[in-house]
Amino acid sequence: LSNWPLVQIVHRPGVLDLAWGHPDPSLLPLEAVQRAARRALDDYGSETLQYGHPAGPGPLRAWLADHLGRLEGRAPDADEVLITAGISHGLDLLLHHIAAPGDTVLVESPTYHLAVRILRDQGLRLAPAVTDEHGLRVDALRETLAGLRRKGRRAKALYLVPTFNNPTGVSLPLERRQALVEVAAREKMLIVEDDVYRELAYDGPAPPSLWSLAPEGVVARLGSFAKTLAPGLRVGWLTGPRDIVAALRDGGLLDSGGGISHFAGAITAALCAAGDYEAHVSGLRAAYGARRDALHQALEAHLPAGSRVTRPGGGFFVWVRLPEAGPSAAEALAGAEALGVSYLPGERFYLDGQGARTLRLAFSLYAPEELREAARRLGQAWA
Ligand SMILES: Cc1ncc(COP(=O)(O)O)c(C=O)c1O
């Protein structure tokens, strides 16, 4: 029984595995969480171990309101913010509430492949929203919505990762953000904004969130401490329309269980109140920014001529488009792994089978010198 695993990741000896978008264990805030756990138990006493408030621990929601206000110029009030167990949980909870099996939901393509799994698990009918090298195409979205209307259908929601996208690293330009919230408001389609990488910005602040730009009722934004602190905490949040927040907060699940991840939320609140959050995230920006640079530069040097390598402004991923000649990303995978490097073929991130000549590389797990070696092995694999 001692071999039963504690974590999800499976290491393969000898392989630099750039398929995993997990944080580097050496960058997880062990000591800050230790201090915060003690502080939570000291400061909040037995309430740390009680059934929590259904909307999440008050001190964490208050810290978030203040933090988001400073970060984005728009602070959610107490009825606009709900603590979740992370974005995966928030997405599941939200879509269960707003949609029923068989309803149509638009998903930008390519997009975070595991969010697609969550939506498919709910029996939703998914349709791709077209993107280009700058992200979602709002003109194409208008056509898609008109096409659905002609068939007597409408989209209940649109899911997208507009900031430091997984997998492409791209951020949607401001004009498209503004046009998108206008279209959604007119169509009465809820935008589900996955904002997981906002604070891992390496070249200056991220563009404003769709939530901060939109009138109330148009956007539900999902945030998480998974990338900025630790995924194992299972603490995230939702800022969105008051009626949705109220329905989730007052629903049976959060009422019966007393909120979600209450203990971890209280620890997170204590960590943030002590000022450890900003210090930690600023260290992550320096560390992951250096990794982004190392991988990007080495890929430019080692990949075959004609490859296009994105330089993401934030997040965990570099996206590569291979030249037309030669093997596809999926065809080359076994050869790359034999040379000790792995990645995710880009097809995984498309709803409609495109992307054969693309691949995603995560730079989060490895030090710069390992990333340079990974790029060298990839170059060798294509050579
Ligand atoms: C775009 C995106 N959304 C959500 C998640 C998962 O978020 P959480 O750990 O908060 O459930 C990830 C993790 O890789 C991600 O890349």
Side-chain angles (χ1 to χ4, degrees):
L1 297 187
S2 61
N3 287 339
W4 290 12
L6 188 58
V7 294
Q8 186 176 42
I9 195 164
V10 179
H11 294 284
R12 290 183 285 171
V15 179
L16 293 166
D17 194 346
L18 276 56
W20 293 99
H22 287 204
D24 181 342
S26 74
L27 296 174
L28 293 174
L30 274 185
E31 279 155 28
V33 171
Q34 248 164 16
R35 281 195 304 275
R38 173 153 292 285
R39 209 175 293 121
L41 290 163
D42 285 346
D43 291 357
Y44 313 134
S46 59
E47 293 195 349
T48 317
L49 301 176
Q50 262 299 6
Y51 282 106
H53 188 280
L60 182 57
R61 289 187 297 128
W63 179 86
L64 263 174
D66 183 61
H67 177 68
L68 296 175
R70 271 183 287 116
L71 196 68
E72 309 194 90
R74 179 179 173 192
D77 67 32
D79 294 328
E80 290 180 300
V81 58
L82 180 87
I83 300 303
T84 67
I87 287 179
S88 312
H89 169 251
L91 181 65
D92 192 52
L93 198 65
L94 178 64
L95 268 294
H96 259 304
H97 173 65
I98 63 161
D103 280 349
T104 300
V105 169
L106 295 176
V107 176
E108 77 180 322
S109 180
T111 204
Y112 175 47
H113 57 318
L114 301 180
V116 172
R117 296 254 317 273
I118 294 171
L119 302 176
R120 288 214 166 112
D121 285 351
Q122 291 197 15
L124 297 167
R125 221 163 141 182
L126 305 187
V130 179
T131 62
D132 62 17
E133 71 274 23
H134 304 294
L136 191 102
R137 273 184 48 200
V138 183
D139 57 335
L141 175 69
R142 285 194 195 94
E143 283 168 29
T144 304
L145 291 170
L148 284 174
R149 234 186 342 263
R150 280 195 294 275
K151 292 186 212 147
R153 286 163 62 191
R154 68 173 279 263
K156 277 275 171 74
L158 162 69
Y159 167 83
L160 78 165
V161 188
T163 305
F164 312 137
N165 178 275
N166 177 2
T168 65
V170 162
S171 288
L172 196 65
L174 181 61
E175 318 79 69
R176 287 202 197 178
R177 286 174 190 252
Q178 283 160 336
L180 174 59
V181 298
E182 275 170 33
V183 170
R186 203 174 326 118
E187 299 278 342
K188 301 201 177 353
M189 171 184 71
L190 184 72
I191 295 178
V192 180
E193 176 179 27
D194 180 335
D195 208 16
V196 73
Y197 296 110
R198 161 161 308 276
E199 294 191 54
L200 296 183
Y202 312 131
D203 303 325
S209 65
L210 299 171
W211 175 76
S212 72
L213 292 173
E216 203 202 311
V218 177
V219 180
R221 181 263 301 276
L222 299 168
S224 183
F225 289 98
K227 310 295 175 179
T228 46
L229 290 178
L233 286 171
R234 291 294 81 209
V235 181
W237 68 89
L238 178 156
T239 57
R242 284 178 176 74
D243 58 336
I244 293 180
V245 169
L248 298 176
R249 179 193 60 209
D250 301 339
L253 178 71
L254 300 190
D255 191 13
S256 169
I260 294 285
S261 299
H262 175 68
F263 182 60
I267 293 172
T268 306
L271 187 151
C272 293
D276 284 345
Y277 178 84
E278 272 86 0
H280 182 67
V281 175
S282 125
L284 290 184
R285 277 189 211 109
Y288 287 131
R291 290 167 189 221
R292 185 266 322 251
D293 290 342
L295 181 62
H296 180 261
Q297 283 160 13
L299 289 170
E300 297 255 285
H302 292 294
L303 285 185
S307 306
R308 288 216 316 268
V309 184
T310 60
R311 186 170 182 278
F316 278 179
F317 307 104
V318 168
W319 180 245
V320 175
R321 184 169 293 280
L322 296 165
E324 288 308 317
S328 72
E331 286 162 350
L333 186 59
E337 289 187 342
L339 289 169
V341 65
S342 192
Y343 54 83
L344 278 188
E347 269 161 337
R348 298 270 180 97
F349 302 93
Y350 286 85
L351 254 72
D352 42 11
Q354 297 180 46
R357 313 216 65 81
T358 59
L359 58 121
R360 188 196 79 173
L361 299 164
F363 52 80
S364 48
L365 198 55
Y366 293 104
E369 53 284 9
E370 292 171 304
L371 294 168
R372 283 189 277 271
E373 174 59 19
R376 200 188 60 74
R377 291 180 191 176
L378 278 171
Q380 228 185 337
W382 262 275

